[in-house]
Amino acid sequence: MTDTDLQSYKPELPSVMVDDAVRAALREDLGRAGDITTLATIPPDAMANVIIASREEGVLSGMPLARAAFRAINPDIQFETLIDDGDTIAPGDVVARIKGRARDVLSAERVALNYLGHMSGIATATAQFAAKITHTNARVCCTRKTTPGLRAFEKYAVRCGGGANHRFGLDDAVLIKDNHIGVVGDIARTVETARAYVGHLVKIEVEVDTLEQLASVLPAKPDVVLLDNMDAATLRKAIALVKKLNPSTKTEASGGIKLDTIAEKAETGVDYISTGWITHSAPVLDLGLDTSIV
Amino acid sequence: MTDTDLQSYKPELPSVMVDDAVRAALREDLGRAGDITTLATIPPDAMANVIIASREEGVLSGMPLARAAFRAINPDIQFETLIDDGDTIAPGDVVARIKGRARDVLSAERVALNYLGHMSGIATATAQFAAKITHTNARVCCTRKTTPGLRAFEKYAVRCGGGANHRFGLDDAVLIKDNHIGVVGDIARTVETARAYVGHLVKIEVEVDTLEQLASVLPAKPDVVLLDNMDAATLRKAIALVKKLNPSTKTEASGGIKLDTIAEKAETGVDYISTGWITHSAPVLDLGLDTSIV
Amino acid sequence: MTDTDLQSYKPELPSVMVDDAVRAALREDLGRAGDITTLATIPPDAMANVIIASREEGVLSGMPLARAAFRAINPDIQFETLIDDGDTIAPGDVVARIKGRARDVLSAERVALNYLGHMSGIATATAQFAAKITHTNARVCCTRKTTPGLRAFEKYAVRCGGGANHRFGLDDAVLIKDNHIGVVGDIARTVETARAYVGHLVKIEVEVDTLEQLASVLPAKPDVVLLDNMDAATLRKAIALVKKLNPSTKTEASGGIKLDTIAEKAETGVDYISTGWITHSAPVLDLGLDTSIV
Amino acid sequence: MTDTDLQSYKPELPSVMVDDAVRAALREDLGRAGDITTLATIPPDAMANVIIASREEGVLSGMPLARAAFRAINPDIQFETLIDDGDTIAPGDVVARIKGRARDVLSAERVALNYLGHMSGIATATAQFAAKITHTNARVCCTRKTTPGLRAFEKYAVRCGGGANHRFGLDDAVLIKDNHIGVVGDIARTVETARAYVGHLVKIEVEVDTLEQLASVLPAKPDVVLLDNMDAATLRKAIALVKKLNPSTKTEASGGIKLDTIAEKAETGVDYISTGWITHSAPVLDLGLDTSIV
Amino acid sequence: MTDTDLQSYKPELPSVMVDDAVRAALREDLGRAGDITTLATIPPDAMANVIIASREEGVLSGMPLARAAFRAINPDIQFETLIDDGDTIAPGDVVARIKGRARDVLSAERVALNYLGHMSGIATATAQFAAKITHTNARVCCTRKTTPGLRAFEKYAVRCGGGANHRFGLDDAVLIKDNHIGVVGDIARTVETARAYVGHLVKIEVEVDTLEQLASVLPAKPDVVLLDNMDAATLRKAIALVKKLNPSTKTEASGGIKLDTIAEKAETGVDYISTGWITHSAPVLDLGLDTSIV
Amino acid sequence: MTDTDLQSYKPELPSVMVDDAVRAALREDLGRAGDITTLATIPPDAMANVIIASREEGVLSGMPLARAAFRAINPDIQFETLIDDGDTIAPGDVVARIKGRARDVLSAERVALNYLGHMSGIATATAQFAAKITHTNARVCCTRKTTPGLRAFEKYAVRCGGGANHRFGLDDAVLIKDNHIGVVGDIARTVETARAYVGHLVKIEVEVDTLEQLASVLPAKPDVVLLDNMDAATLRKAIALVKKLNPSTKTEASGGIKLDTIAEKAETGVDYISTGWITHSAPVLDLGLDTSIV
């Protein structure tokens, strides 16, 4: 049985994190005077029936934030989730139905859509990469190349799109690169030094550029090796070396991963393929709000 | 003399805004235990000489945030800005030179680069759109479709790329859309109602989809009309109508603006062309940090 | 039809802004140990029936903050709003009826009354100025001379009192004064420079002290001119000049506006009369809480 | 020797409190786009020489906040304090000299002046009341009727004006009013109950409306009695009663204290006279900034 | 009747303080990815029935924080309080019954228990000290030697354990020590200076090490004298001196108070015995959560 | 070579984390009125020379927070660190020398000492446990049983005392307990499910109470097994089982670890011994400040 045979639960975002982020986003949009267009033109007691619908094909992500945006404006707003994060959506699909005071609904709309579009864009990009390598055992994973302030949400969106998460920050896993090796001098001993520092509940990954570096680090039994910028042929040799010298070490490929090249990399037998593109450059997924005010 | 004949100053970000955002971003990355890789492998007194260099052609944006990231970690870090925000950069261009304790420099690196890449990506995308329409009087402008929490920085990046800013929030200009017209019933009178509400220091824009709507709203003398989803031929007619009925009203075109279609729209004589793409979907610009630790 | 013929809706304060301010105000008053008088003397299960009543004639403002203060202490408190913000009140008028645990009600009382008194004071002062000029087309408006941290609430109170709002901050409108003209040197060209900088959704106002300055700036078509410290005779000439050279420019008078002189200024035909007094020096309106604990 | 024979030091505001408040006030004023007028019209390298001068006679308060406002915008701004908080100022007096980048100086101006004007207004009002009673042993003191969020600064301003401070919140002293007596039923026993609750480092004050109430509470030896809404004759009797029954109890008069009636109250021999007017209704003191940009 | 004959109410924590602290504590524990163990292994719809039970004998404190922790994660969690703060508990006692989604309950568990254990530890330690001196009129009280950020909660726990509270911060009472006497030079005059500075609602305590110091300070009538590091014999003399020279002054003993020596000190007739140990060194009280997930 | 042969660097606390915590702690202590004792008695220009000295033997921790406390009050204070965190100290050892305005130094004193005492207490307790097992390969480690809000500082203190860190929160490692096994039903398969969920950079630990559970989980190759509440004999069998079935799995013992029993557990060959006691129940280490004001 491999890891990917197991059906994992969908990820969840802690509500304490969601609520605070959404309130800050609303304050950013409402500024000091609030939604002056709505206040000037919509009667206070007008009600709105709204749907959020997809205009594109993709994978949904961000519904808890969208819901929280409407509820933070007014807890009396009814927000019915029709499609869940992680589900595939097509143009025209209605993902939520919202009912409430028209002023409140319109004031929360843009924040809700900005979260949904951004996160669904990341989920969709991740799913597109993942779809190219379903015939392999490799998984797409993310990096720390995320938008400042949004890391937890973007990593959650990667999960929604079927990707795996790399470390969430500088503090939850060790990733040793060229710069870090100078001290001890020796790559394997650097790994051992790091392991002594961080203890037994932190994984250690080492970035290598060449097969020689790889051969020298494997005796230190790193948990993961990051095979950076290797072509498919070199990757195959690297993976063979790992299988031979320390098969429990996981392998990760990185460097210029593109939609049309990922399959070639995945077919080398590498375990993970990481790309910053899915978090820092994925275009938004187009979702919109259709309103009827009564 | 038209607006665009005037040489404007470069925009600036208030330091109180920059400092707080950067500290939050650093806390997001450092988590509870800090940069454990660096702490485990780099001696406390090792020094680093670092450059930030571009790997791509584009327009630079985000230097004040990058600088603040290093300085927030340790105010003794020297950060020399070599290229300013708003300047064009080419692969290999060194945008900054940084010197300080190696642990401090490495701990701030990713936050600095994440800001630089994201904002330079937006500036670059904006500049690409702007470059297509230099033969016209039209200017590219942004929308409220921004990443939650980053609006001020993203709108600043649009300025760095030569674009103009649309409103910054729901509170600093009125934008009347279909949903807002129901109350008064009549589009021109809705404009007047809004003007009475907001007073003399807030501009009023009205979104119209058809020439009929446009003709009915112009007598109310809106400051701007948003001509949504019109093809070039209709746009020309709309602009002619504005020139005839209320020439002081500015015109803005929106809806599915693309790099290869923007020129056609701009050539209609429209004043502004707005697109969410430059803030919500621009890919990152690749900048990297080259370190030598001594 | 003039602006003032139109009946505008009452303003509203975004709840996300209200909630956070009120919680901070409660923490300021409760300190580290809470309401020790109440904890020492009132049994935990005693209930209170309370009314908030006016002791003076004036205009009410601040009810959403008063309500939020009680609800933040305990969401089970019942708060019935009997009179709305913007309504005129007389001595003895009961503006709200509150029912809940006596400890909770007494702990929130002072914060609620401090908001109500301060904001109703501003609304009342505004209404007093406005009452002097109802026979003209002029409107009273506020400035940025507000109490730090309370700008949104004070500007809302001005609206409650029937005044108009000037800009909410340094970022939502341009106001060019003497100090700003040095660069370009020429006042009209400074306006054009500013317009090029800020784009199409920001209004531009220019402060002038003399008719000569006014004549030189009008060709640049500023949205508003601020006629500072002019006597009524000069104001009339200024307004005539505006009507002649650029009638779409709005006029605003400022400088030492007093209750007994505002009518004379308003009768010149000026559009707006701005005064810092209504926000920075209006005395509190006296409202009190009558409790019966059972 | 009485308390007032002793020369006290001037009060000081903790810098951690000042810095955070000032940064929030600057963010309130700068909004999302910053000082767009200045950015549009003042060259980045223009320098400013500025003075802050008084336009009125009064007592200065708020200089640490004014200084912090400029320094928060740019720590390179030079701010020379020429007159200290608590000093009397006359029209034309220059209280500070400021030198720095013109953009930075202009961006901080309004926040600095808003603090200075508001706090100097309170200090001046306090000094005016105090001046009426210098021939007595009574001292003016404040209440909890302060502007939400500004209590520490307003109470500091009262000190600058020569007043004394009442409690800072609900938690640092006990003030028993009618509402609090119901439980134990007996006013003296309520004081004892409260004393048992709060321990040995918290003072207990009791509000009484009549001489009968006063006579019944004095045996419980409250630290202070608040003699509410008593005329001068009754006050004299009350003070005589205190001298007879428990001379160590301090006396405080409150209720509708006005500039022209305070002397009559003070001459009764009361120790403190408290008024909310000095914090909630004092008009601003007019200070302005004169700029020369080079 | 002495102070301790009176039955005081139990203390209460303001909910605005509880909610914010608990949310911060949850964010500290949940980090960026949330409770990954629970998300990986517990189905989203599994429910949990949980009890919190004591494993030790002691005094309970912290229930409002425990309750708030579960409710902040999900307001739908049912939390039934079975034993109140301030009550004595024995091993096996069930203090609360909790029902809700299993994921939510498990995610809040540790924060709830950390508060309960820490605060009940303080309450229990306080009660142990108090139990040693019930035959005297002395009361145990705390100091400012508390854990940074938790002062209000720790002082509340002291109250739960039957102790009295010393001042909550540097601002709510004066405590004059050796260092503070240098200026005026004379200890009694220093007290008078301080009294003039702080006014009529702040108590003044003076620390003395010798009977000579005590004799010199009593004429200034300090509210409290802190008798530091005196043995029982000296304490008796000190208390006799107070009774003779100024019997209204309260006495407090401090310095190396231990469980086995407190009775000897209390029997001297001192009013309060203060110890930092109960807040800074009390071991946790062991409470645990027993879960059944269905 | 084992882990413990390697000399690790001392841990460091990120300054962005230190600064914010210290400012909040100062605000907690200074309240609304600041250090009124000092303001009332110490002249503004008096200077202080201060040392912080140890009164007990132990291990130092918290110096960066102590330093930050003084510097946050006034950046001009000179703080000379004489002994570093992690070093052993004896009674009388001077750990820092501080020079500055007396008011500033005294206002920061208690916050600085509260951090130092609390963290040095934890470091000392950890070192005492560690000293008992130096003849073994076992290391002491901490848990999530920390004081809310202080986890990062307490875990740092454990490192200062020579201990290892367990996970910092719910999000950086998986710890599967009884409650988590219900879903998949099978303990080994639960591990595999978790591994599939969290990916390649998160370690997985499983808690077992019996040798049977241990035998069933080892085939799933958990990174760590937590051997809970086993006596020494059972621990030895457990470790033998691990060596036989999956030697790369690390072993951790927990449950009622005491100073006098830890050696017996460590001698079984277990890798880590975890105890909540060192963070939740360690008594403070006594450090004090000796001042001379001039």
Side-chain angles (χ1 to χ4, degrees), chain A residues 9 12 15 17 20 171, chain E residues 23 27 31-32 73 101 103:
Chain A
Y9 295 119
E12 271 186 31
S15 62
M17 197 186 289
D20 288 0
D171 63 327
Chain E
R23 291 177 72 85
R27 276 194 294 265
R32 289 159 302 217
I73 287 288
R101 220 171 60 112
R103 287 180 169 192

Side-chain angles (χ1 to χ4, degrees), chain B residues 152-163:
Chain B
F153 301 144
E154 294 183 346
K155 296 223 162 211
Y156 164 86
V158 166
R159 295 294 306 271
C160 290

Side-chain angles (χ1 to χ4, degrees), chain D residues 8-20 151-153 165 167-172, chain F residues 23 26-27 30-35 38-44 72-75 101 103-104:
Chain D
S8 293
Y9 296 119
K10 290 184 174 181
E12 271 185 31
L13 284 170
S15 62
V16 286
M17 198 186 288
V18 167
D19 292 346
D20 289 0
R151 185 166 291 164
F153 301 145
N165 286 150
R167 60 180 181 162
F168 275 69
L170 289 162
D171 63 327
D172 56 346
Chain F
R23 291 176 72 85
L26 287 168
R27 275 193 297 266
L30 292 165
R32 289 159 303 216
D35 182 354
T38 292
L39 294 174
T41 61
I42 308 281
I73 288 288
N74 188 335
R101 221 170 60 112
R103 288 181 169 191
D104 295 331

Side-chain angles (χ1 to χ4, degrees), chain B:
Chain B
M1 183 181 63
T2 68
D3 289 2
T4 49
D5 293 339
L6 290 160
Q7 184 67 31
S8 293
Y9 296 119
K10 289 183 176 181
E12 271 185 31
L13 284 170
S15 61
V16 287
M17 196 185 290
V18 167
D19 292 346
D20 289 0
V22 160
R23 291 177 72 85
L26 287 169
R27 276 193 295 266
E28 182 190 52
D29 200 23
L30 292 166
R32 289 159 302 216
D35 182 354
I36 52 176
T37 307
T38 293
L39 293 175
T41 60
I42 307 280
D45 51 358
M47 299 299 290
N49 270 303
V50 168
I51 56 165
I52 299 181
S54 182
R55 320 268 198 241
E56 279 189 275
E57 188 170 314
V59 175
L60 188 64
S61 183
M63 291 296 283
L65 291 129
R67 183 178 182 279
F70 289 100
R71 300 294 287 261
I73 288 287
N74 188 336
D76 293 336
I77 291 181
Q78 296 168 36
F79 185 100
E80 189 186 357
T81 300
L82 301 176
I83 302 183
D84 287 323
D85 276 7
D87 289 350
T88 301
I89 50 177
D93 281 357
V94 178
V95 304
R97 203 176 294 278
I98 302 149
K99 198 170 175 174
R101 220 171 60 113
R103 286 180 170 192
D104 295 330
V105 170
L106 292 176
S107 295
E109 168 185 356
R110 179 50 37 217
V111 166
L113 291 179
N114 282 352
Y115 275 118
L116 272 184
H118 183 68
M119 292 171 67
S120 299
I122 290 172
T124 301
T126 305
Q128 287 164 346
F129 277 87
K132 298 288 187 187
I133 60 174
T134 49
H135 60 298
T136 72
N137 282 328
R139 292 186 71 187
V140 179
C141 82
C142 57
T143 66
R144 278 172 48 247
K145 297 180 179 175
T146 56
T147 317
L150 296 172
R151 186 166 291 164
F153 301 144
E154 294 183 346
K155 296 223 162 211
Y156 164 86
V158 166
R159 295 294 306 271
C160 290
N165 287 149
H166 209 279
R167 59 180 180 162
F168 275 68
L170 289 162
D171 63 326
D172 57 343
V174 168
L175 176 45
I176 298 172
K177 306 186 185 183
D178 271 11
N179 291 330
H180 301 107
I181 296 170
V183 190
V184 181
D186 172 88
I187 190 167
R189 197 162 163 83
T190 301
V191 173
E192 286 153 4
T193 307
R195 187 175 292 127
Y197 183 87
V198 297
H200 59 313
L201 282 168
V202 173
K203 288 210 172 173
I204 294 176
E205 180 170 19
V206 185
E207 180 182 314
V208 297
D209 299 319
T210 65
L211 296 174
E212 291 67 35
Q213 286 178 311
L214 178 60
S216 68
V217 76
L218 283 170
K221 300 192 179 175
D223 297 293
V224 189
V225 284
L226 179 57
L227 309 165
D228 194 39
N229 275 319
M230 293 184 179
D231 59 25
T234 313
L235 268 183
R236 279 177 206 279
K237 287 180 197 161
I239 289 154
L241 203 56
V242 170
K243 293 256 183 297
K244 183 174 148 202
L245 295 183
N246 193 46
S248 70
T249 292
K250 293 283 178 188
T251 54
E252 178 184 338
S254 69
I257 306 300
K258 297 238 158 56
L259 256 189
D260 55 3
T261 61
I262 190 170
E264 188 192 14
K265 305 259 173 158
E267 288 159 5
T268 61
V270 74
D271 297 312
Y272 291 88
I273 301 179
S274 58
T275 164
W277 195 91
I278 53 175
T279 48
H280 66 48
S281 297
V284 91
L285 189 78
D286 192 8
L287 292 118
L289 188 136
D290 299 322
T291 316
S292 62
I293 297 179
V294 289

Side-chain angles (χ1 to χ4, degrees), chain E residues 109-259:
Chain E
E109 167 186 357
R110 180 52 32 219
V111 166
L113 291 179
N114 282 350
Y115 274 119
L116 272 184
H118 182 68
M119 292 171 66
S120 298
I122 290 172
T124 301
T126 304
Q128 288 165 347
F129 276 87
K132 298 286 187 188
I133 59 173
T134 49
H135 60 299
T136 72
N137 282 328
R139 292 186 70 185
V140 179
C141 83
C142 56
T143 67
R144 278 172 48 247
K145 296 180 178 175
T146 57
T147 317
L150 296 171
R151 185 167 290 165
F153 302 144
E154 295 184 345
K155 296 221 162 214
Y156 164 86
V158 166
R159 295 295 306 271
C160 290
N165 286 151
H166 208 279
R167 59 180 181 163
F168 275 68
L170 289 163
D171 64 327
D172 56 346
V174 167
L175 175 45
I176 298 174
K177 306 186 185 181
D178 271 11
N179 292 329
H180 300 106
I181 297 170
V183 191
V184 180
D186 172 271
I187 190 168
R189 197 163 163 83
T190 302
V191 174
E192 285 151 6
T193 308
R195 188 174 292 128
Y197 184 89
V198 297
H200 58 315
L201 282 166
V202 174
K203 288 212 173 170
I204 294 177
E205 179 170 20
V206 185
E207 178 181 317
V208 295
D209 300 319
T210 65
L211 297 175
E212 291 67 37
Q213 286 178 313
L214 179 60
S216 67
V217 77
L218 284 171
K221 301 191 179 178
D223 297 293
V224 189
V225 283
L226 179 58
L227 308 166
D228 195 38
N229 275 319
M230 294 184 179
D231 58 25
T234 314
L235 270 183
R236 280 179 205 277
K237 289 180 198 161
I239 290 154
L241 203 58
V242 170
K243 292 258 184 292
K244 183 174 147 203
L245 295 184
N246 193 46
S248 69
T249 292
K250 294 280 180 188
T251 55
E252 176 183 339
S254 69
I257 307 299
K258 298 236 157 56
L259 256 189

Side-chain angles (χ1 to χ4, degrees), chain A residues 36-44 103, chain B residues 174 183-184 189-200 204, chain C residues 1-12 85-87 139 156 158-165 272:
Chain A
I36 53 176
T37 306
T38 293
L39 294 175
T41 61
I42 308 280
R103 286 180 170 192
Chain B
V174 168
V183 190
V184 181
R189 197 162 163 83
T190 301
V191 173
E192 286 153 4
T193 307
R195 187 175 292 127
Y197 183 87
V198 297
H200 59 313
I204 294 176
Chain C
M1 182 181 64
T2 68
D3 289 1
T4 50
D5 294 337
L6 289 160
Q7 184 67 32
S8 293
Y9 295 120
K10 289 185 176 180
E12 270 184 32
D85 276 6
D87 288 350
R139 291 187 71 186
Y156 164 87
V158 166
R159 296 293 306 272
C160 290
N165 287 149
Y272 291 88

